[in-house]
Amino acid sequence: MPLTIDLKNTDTRDALALRVKAVSPLPDGQKPSLIGMTREEMSAVLSDAGIPERQVKMRVQQLWHWLYVRGVSDFAEMLNVSRELRALLSERFTIARPKIVDEQISEDGTRKWLLQFPSRGAGKPVEIETVYIPEEGRGTLCISSQVGCTLNCSFCHTGTQTLVRNLTAEEILSQLLLARERLGDFPKKDTPQGAIVPSEGRKITNIVMMGMGEPLYNFENVKTALLIASDNEGLSLSKRRITLSTSGVVPEIYRTGEEIGVMLAISLHAVRDDLRNELVPINKKYPIAELIQACRDYPGLSNARRITFEYVMLKGVNDSLEDARDLVQLLKGVPAKINLIPFNPWPGSQYECSDWEHIKVFADFVNHAGYASPIRTPRGADILAACGQLKSESERMRKPERLALEAMMIAGHGEE
Ligand code: SAH
Ligand code: SF4
């Protein structure tokens, strides 16, 4: 349901206008984007632009439809909006897509986009990666939430890149809009106005916040973007098809349950605090017991709505049968599935992936204990799109480094 707001109340309007400014401070001359604004924020900026109060609600509704149902990226395509208003809107705002620096398509159909967003404030333009993974009967878009990451998980490539900045709600949502556009997921341009636009047959059926960055360290923007992605008058992705992955920021896990309501994935990776402190250092702040309690308290869990626990398989580190036993014990009573991720190596990484046979034994044990434990097949390895390999921007890999990594990936694949 759209929220309503009293736009005659100047305090509220000023507060909203401030928030709009605060979330996306732009250098002079750069127009703010209407994408990624809540309905209230959009109402406030439209009123500020001089749109009569009695029209604002209707205009927001129209814009919402064009942006999120039709997926237009040019005001000129908004056919039921008058020429004058389109001119006013394009003078003040933008709805353009981010710049595609690179688009790669893997042999297995996985696609990876390197996208550039303009600078905010004094910073430089930034680059992030978004990955599309087609599978039988579904297609998943893996979205980034930050440029780099502040958390230094020892097995993660993104973790070696220091945080450059949080992405705005617009930038998070733009990844979905751009991918849908590139994949032909929006209705054809000549679809008549008012036609019912079917949601079946979409290429992107699911989204996962599993790209670069820790989404719960960018809570507000991730929340705004996901609420827009799941808004049923727009992109209308079911919240059951949106999964947010976190390394375990406990207070924000509670907020995610209360304020966003999407599915949760936890990067667990170890079942003892001493080892998890090493692999996922945020564990020192929020140890395993607190993390599992937050999972137990997550609203709406059932056998059909389970938490995913991600567990990267590191040879000789966390992959023993004793670990498997402790894992089952730890998750007792939590509606859970366990996603075993073969470690994806990167240059300079100190770990090796567990042997395939070993992973299978581990998976069988967990399976017998009653937990679904799919082994995540590495996807898009030839284009470095697999988990933990995303790293971009100023620190993009030099060519020799990249070739070395590709060789490692191909060798790794041969073993399977
Ligand atoms: N920061 C969030 C989401 C992004 S990481 C989080 O940590 O959950 C997405 C998943 O990839 C996480 O489970 C992460 O632990 C895992 N991952 C990171 N590096 C990896 C690597 N080199 N090989 C396999 N999985 C990795
Ligand atoms: Fe950040 Fe997640 Fe990588 Fe840890 S695993 S460094 S939280 S992106």
Side-chain angles (χ1 to χ4, degrees), residues 186-262:
F186 281 120
K188 292 205 176 65
K189 299 263 184 253
D190 57 3
T191 310
Q193 275 177 53
I196 301 198
V197 182
S199 59
E200 300 90 58
R202 283 187 182 189
K203 295 228 170 53
I204 298 175
T205 58
N206 293 59
I207 58 180
V208 292
M209 296 301 300
M210 291 187 188
M212 294 164 61
E214 168 49 58
L216 295 189
Y217 270 5
N218 185 14
F219 186 85
E220 293 300 335
N221 292 334
V222 167
K223 171 181 163 182
T224 304
L226 293 184
L227 291 182
I228 295 175
S230 57
D231 183 291
N232 54 23
E233 289 175 18
L235 290 155
S236 45
L237 265 164
S238 157
K239 287 184 182 178
R240 299 176 69 154
R241 290 177 172 272
I242 301 177
T243 303
L244 183 150
S245 174
T246 177
S247 56
V249 192
V250 168
E252 266 68 35
I253 292 177
Y254 285 96
R255 288 190 66 195
T256 303
E258 284 156 23
E259 299 175 36
I260 317 182
V262 293

Side-chain angles (χ1 to χ4, degrees), residues 320-342:
S320 70
L321 267 185
E322 201 188 337
D323 290 309
R325 207 170 300 132
D326 290 350
L327 178 60
V328 167
Q329 189 63 31
L330 182 69
L331 299 184
K332 220 175 195 158
V334 184
K337 50 187 167 199
I338 296 160
N339 207 332
L340 299 177
I341 318 176

Side-chain angles (χ1 to χ4, degrees), residues 155-157 209-211 213-215 245-247 267 269 310 312 341-344 346 376 387-388:
F155 54 88
C156 174
H157 204 199
M209 296 301 300
M210 291 187 188
E214 168 49 58
S245 174
T246 177
S247 56
S267 292
H269 307 315
E310 295 158 285
V312 64
I341 318 176
F343 170 65
N344 291 308
W346 38 273
R376 195 185 287 173
C387 300

